[in-house]
Amino acid sequence: MIISQNTLKWVMRFYPPLFFQRIWVQKFDNDFRSCTVKLSKSFLNKNYNGSIFGGTIYAATDPFYALLFDQLMQRRGYKVRVWLKSASIQYLKPGRFNLYFTITVTNEMIAEAELALKTVGKFVKAYPMEIKNKQGELCATVMNEVYIRNLHQGEEPRVAY
């Protein structure tokens, strides 16, 4: 489903798995080319050591590459199924305060996905993410592997709206 940037932002803000872990979408930018997310530290996601629970950090990174690629591909006329195929995380420093990350989908990433969708019918690739605190210190790195399947391989793409 094609959805506006503002609508998706608010849907994601109140999506229970993110909302109750204090994961807050700050904005979707540039026609779904990027997304900025804030992880607020609170009693709901604080671990035994007083930092943000690692599972919260991991959960925060889960949906965003898939959401961006889904919206971008639909706007190019593709009927696709997109999800996170796998992920790995490295915790580098405790998240003692709020954490932030921004991910960006470049023209090259889109072109690579489109070529694969047109030729092979699916696209699988891992992309890095960096989670930082307000001071810009790197607290975690994540690799998210995105899976995109063209549901109408061989057909000419046409815009769905």
Side-chain angles (χ1 to χ4, degrees):
M1 166 178 22
I2 292 178
I3 191 168
S4 75
Q5 292 166 247
N6 194 49
T7 300
L8 185 57
K9 174 183 75 174
W10 284 100
V11 167
M12 295 305 292
R13 283 181 174 180
F14 292 107
Y15 180 53
L18 302 181
F19 179 78
F20 289 110
Q21 292 189 70
R22 310 285 290 140
I23 299 165
W24 191 254
V25 177
Q26 291 186 308
K27 61 184 171 181
F28 287 101
D29 271 338
N30 305 323
D31 297 323
F32 291 101
R33 294 293 185 106
S34 69
C35 177
T36 303
V37 178
K38 175 183 178 182
L39 289 79
S40 298
K41 181 182 166 193
S42 80
F43 76 94
L44 294 173
N45 64 14
K46 190 168 63 168
N47 67 19
Y48 178 76
N49 295 310
S51 61
I52 295 176
F53 175 60
T56 297
I57 298 169
Y58 201 60
T61 66
D62 182 290
F64 295 105
Y65 269 118
L67 285 171
L68 294 178
F69 271 107
D70 181 63
Q71 290 299 310
L72 289 166
M73 292 296 116
Q74 284 189 65
R75 283 170 168 69
R76 284 169 174 67
Y78 291 93
K79 182 172 171 73
V80 293
R81 179 81 61 224
V82 185
W83 62 84
L84 179 67
K85 183 175 181 182
S86 68
S88 64
I89 190 165
Q90 294 291 314
Y91 301 104
L92 306 172
K93 184 175 183 153
R96 300 203 186 284
F97 305 100
N98 297 340
L99 298 175
Y100 304 85
F101 66 88
T102 299
I103 61 170
T104 302
V105 177
T106 65
N107 288 333
E108 293 78 22
M109 293 162 71
I110 295 168
E112 186 178 18
E114 276 191 295
L115 179 62
L117 291 175
K118 288 177 184 175
T119 58
V120 183
K122 69 178 180 178
F123 175 73
V124 181
K125 186 160 184 181
Y127 295 105
M129 301 172 79
E130 293 185 337
I131 293 81
K132 298 180 179 183
N133 61 21
K134 194 155 187 116
Q135 293 72 34
E137 299 170 316
L138 188 61
C139 294
T141 59
V142 179
M143 285 298 289
N144 277 358
E145 187 176 34
V146 176
Y147 177 95
I148 307 172
R149 161 91 43 207
N150 185 352
L151 299 178
H152 291 283
Q153 183 180 3
E155 293 181 13
E156 277 298 310
R158 52 185 183 272
V159 177
Y161 52 87

